Amino acid sequence: MNVVVLIGRLTDNPELRHTNSNIAVTRFSIAVDRAYRSGEERQTDFINIVAWRQTAEFITRYFKKGQRIGIEGSLRMNRYTDKDGNNRTSYEVVANNVHFVENKRDSGDASGYAPQETQAAPQSFSNSDSGDFAEIASDDDLPF
């Protein structure tokens, strides 16, 4: 079974691109802290992510540099030969589902994230979602 679940911070603003056949794609990396013990130095891994189609559009619309993101996906290994003729291997996570990990107020204070739109964003997105993005009501009026 090839399942990857990560929570990290975007290292840059994701940029939406399109293939020659007009399929939306975005590639970005997230910084993920490793578990550590008291007194030890924190270590961070930088993990490459790729998202396709509606997931790519969702990420580039709602996520910005420094914001925390939850990723569910699968690990993909790519083998290639570099310009010097050396065999190389790279790894990336193909994002199938993405989730907000912090609320808007927290992300605005901690990372400088400012939503481009005044409408509320969905709390998560899955490749299995169909149709256009569904907007949800703000949870500011809920008692919990």
Side-chain angles (χ1 to χ4, degrees):
M1 184 178 302
N2 184 353
V3 178
V4 176
V5 178
L6 300 165
I7 295 176
R9 291 193 183 274
L10 285 121
T11 61
D12 207 350
N13 288 328
E15 184 178 327
L16 187 65
R17 296 181 185 262
H18 290 85
T19 64
N20 292 338
S21 54
N22 205 31
I23 297 172
V25 61
T26 186
R27 292 180 185 278
F28 56 95
S29 65
I30 61 173
V32 179
D33 290 333
R34 291 185 188 178
Y36 68 97
R37 294 184 185 145
S38 179
E40 291 181 353
E41 185 176 335
R42 287 188 183 199
Q43 294 182 344
T44 302
D45 293 309
F46 295 89
I47 299 172
N48 295 323
I49 312 289
V50 63
W52 296 90
R53 298 177 176 79
Q54 293 91 353
T55 305
E57 293 171 358
F58 179 82
I59 291 168
T60 57
R61 182 175 180 186
Y62 291 112
F63 289 93
K64 303 294 176 225
K65 178 180 179 178
Q67 189 176 6
R68 290 182 69 196
I69 187 171
I71 305 276
E72 295 177 49
S74 58
L75 186 64
R76 181 169 62 187
M77 179 179 70
N78 300 309
R79 291 188 176 148
Y80 62 96
T81 304
D82 67 14
K83 64 182 179 181
D84 298 326
N86 299 314
N87 291 329
R88 301 286 183 185
T89 304
S90 68
Y91 296 90
E92 65 187 357
V93 172
V94 179
N96 296 324
N97 303 310
V98 296
H99 306 275
F100 289 97
V101 180
E102 57 193 1
N103 65 42
K104 247 195 284 195
R105 278 179 243 134
D106 290 345
S107 64
D109 294 340
S111 67
Y113 167 72
Q116 294 177 346
E117 304 167 23
T118 57
Q119 297 174 341
Q123 294 302 305
S124 65
F125 181 80
S126 169
N127 268 341
S128 61
D129 291 346
S130 61
D132 206 357
F133 299 114
E135 301 294 334
I136 59 172
S138 174
D139 62 352
D140 291 340
D141 297 330
L142 296 176
F144 51 89

